[in-house]
Amino acid sequence: MTKEIDWNNLGFGYVKTDYRYVSNYKDGSWDEGTLTTDDQITMSECACVLQYAQTCFEGLKAYTTANGDIVVFRPDLNAERLQSSCAGLEIPVVPKEKFLDAIHQVVKANKDFVPPYGTGATLYIRPYVFGKNAVIGVKPADEYEFRVFVTPVGPYFKGGVKPITIRVSDVDRAAPRGTGNIKAGLNYAMSLHNIVDAHNKGFDENMYLDPQTRTKVEETGGANFLFVTKDGTVVTPKSNSILPSITRRSLLYVAQHYCGLKVEEREVYFDEVKDFAECGLCGTAAVISPVGKIVDHGKEILFPSGMEEMGPVISKLRETLTGIQMGTIEAPEGWIQVI
Ligand code: PLP
Ligand code: COI
């Protein structure tokens, strides 16, 4: 029986579900892993994750399709990205099969929390790994925990799919040649003060520029950028210090192969942004959320698509991607795994 939740009015928040997956790494190997109902974690006060932030995570979603199946979207790519995050933080990699098995087990065990088709809500899946044993000299832990929990969610930005206003950030998200291209918890810790400050000043998000020259567009705290030129080309920033978004890779494919649009992944100078027709933020949580306005120290860029409606290209991309995820549009081979 599907749980009694007001699916249509869910925000992007944590709702405790029935089961989560836990596996421990000790003496050089991962144990088999198991489901548990216990949502609490007990560990040393000196755990490496608590002292030195040795943790990374993933985010993906499960959906109820139009014909009632429960599916997950491209989890193999999240498994691969978690492996590169682990490698960057000296965390033992989680084998791909173990990651996929954990996702399948947790979603299946919590199937009553997967929002029904048509509600606009989805089941957000959060896999993560952290260094668990006591470490006081700066070095990696020897023992780790890999966990996966799920939580039903609505839209990431308040107001659903209405265009948002973002500001150009004065601080950087990632160092040049730093950790911006992996999904390390530390990247998000350093963005917390800046997002609170942005919200206090009436902005929905921060636009980060490249940390080396501060002339090129990078990404926001939790999503990549897509722009649309006036002649309908989809443009997205190329950089070594942004997270390689799975949603972005999927949208670029959709733009090219389903919508017949030209796509360009290249350096995008902030000076060019005023000439684009549309702007969106893409990510698992954000899907593709329209940006109506960018404020750069009092100077405003208002996109022609305005503050009321999504622009036509972003709207088409969103419709097509969510159609693929919800099973109303045929997916490219391998994108959808049925639970
Ligand atoms: N960039 C950042 C900083 C993110 O946190 C996310 C979210 O995962 C993304 C981009 C989008 O990545 P994906 O589409 O794989 O969710
Ligand atoms: C995701 O989209 O999965 C993310 O990790 C973004 C997060 C900041 C909610």
Side-chain angles (χ1 to χ4, degrees):
M1 267 295 277
T2 304
K3 300 279 174 183
E4 280 202 23
I5 291 177
D6 185 5
W7 307 110
N8 296 292
N9 292 307
L10 271 180
F12 196 88
Y14 173 74
V15 174
K16 185 179 149 189
T17 56
D18 290 341
Y19 295 96
R20 63 279 303 128
Y21 173 94
V22 189
S23 177
N24 283 285
Y25 180 93
K26 203 174 169 178
D27 300 328
S29 63
W30 290 103
D31 69 13
E32 203 186 337
T34 185
L35 290 176
T36 172
T37 55
D38 188 359
D39 64 325
Q40 301 293 308
I41 299 172
T42 304
M43 63 182 136
S44 165
E45 62 186 355
C46 197
C48 197
V49 60
L50 298 178
Q51 303 308 321
Y52 302 127
Q54 194 192 18
T55 182
C56 54
F57 69 99
E58 271 305 320
L60 64 162
K61 281 176 171 173
Y63 309 82
T64 305
T65 63
N67 71 6
D69 287 337
I70 294 174
V71 300
V72 287
F73 183 71
R74 309 191 80 179
D76 48 320
L77 299 187
N78 295 92
E80 287 165 14
R81 194 171 61 187
L82 187 69
Q83 292 190 326
S84 69
S85 300
C86 286
L89 295 166
E90 285 299 327
I91 293 174
V93 295
V94 177
K96 196 165 173 179
E97 304 66 43
K98 185 176 189 67
F99 180 96
L100 295 174
D101 174 54
I103 302 297
H104 278 253
Q105 285 196 46
V106 183
V107 173
K108 198 171 197 170
N110 292 293
K111 66 178 184 346
D112 296 345
F113 287 93
V114 187
Y117 174 75
T119 57
T122 51
L123 190 76
Y124 186 69
I125 308 168
R126 174 52 65 86
Y128 59 115
V129 200
F130 54 93
K132 202 178 171 189
N133 64 294
V135 162
I136 192 71
V138 178
K139 65 178 180 112
D142 305 305
E143 294 173 16
Y144 294 85
E145 195 158 314
F146 166 51
R147 295 179 74 103
V148 182
F149 69 79
V150 295
T151 179
V153 295
Y156 190 63
F157 292 105
K158 278 204 304 275
V161 294
K162 247 182 120 91
I164 59 171
T165 300
I166 66 175
R167 69 167 182 187
V168 176
S169 171
D170 280 331
V171 302
D172 298 324
R173 172 183 179 275
R177 300 172 289 281
T179 56
N181 61 344
I182 61 172
K183 211 162 165 58
L186 62 93
N187 293 337
Y188 299 81
M190 65 62 54
S191 75
L192 295 177
H193 170 66
N194 205 31
I195 191 67
V196 170
D197 186 60
H199 287 164
N200 286 343
K201 292 179 175 145
F203 302 104
D204 298 294
E205 255 294 357
N206 289 299
M207 169 188 261
Y208 290 102
L209 300 180
D210 76 289
Q212 183 101 33
T213 70
R214 301 192 55 79
T215 57
K216 291 174 266 185
V217 176
E218 294 248 286
E219 61 177 332
T220 65
N224 284 177
F225 278 103
L226 281 188
F227 299 100
V228 183
T229 64
K230 289 192 173 125
D231 63 4
T233 299
V234 177
V235 178
T236 191
K238 191 179 174 77
S239 159
N240 293 329
S241 45
I242 66 176
L243 192 76
S245 159
I246 292 160
T247 313
R248 172 168 88 160
R249 278 177 260 172
S250 307
L251 284 165
L252 291 180
Y253 185 92
V254 163
Q256 235 177 334
H257 298 278
Y258 285 68
C259 306
L261 297 169
K262 259 181 51 191
V263 304
E264 291 175 1
E265 187 178 350
R266 61 165 172 86
E267 292 184 330
V268 175
Y269 285 86
F270 181 70
D271 282 349
E272 301 175 59
V273 170
K274 61 179 184 333
D275 299 320
F276 290 127
E278 297 178 47
C279 172
L281 300 182
C282 63
T284 298
V287 191
I288 180 162
S289 301
V291 174
K293 196 195 284 183
I294 301 178
V295 181
D296 175 25
H297 301 93
K299 272 197 303 220
E300 293 191 350
I301 298 172
L302 182 64
F303 292 100
S305 45
M307 293 305 294
E308 287 308 313
E309 299 277 321
M310 246 188 256
V313 174
I314 286 188
S315 174
K316 181 76 191 155
L317 291 176
R318 186 183 172 101
E319 230 172 75
T320 311
L321 181 68
T322 53
I324 288 171
Q325 291 165 333
M326 310 277 179
T328 56
I329 295 176
E330 192 173 343
E333 204 181 320
W335 280 25
I336 299 293
Q337 289 191 9
V338 179
I339 296 294

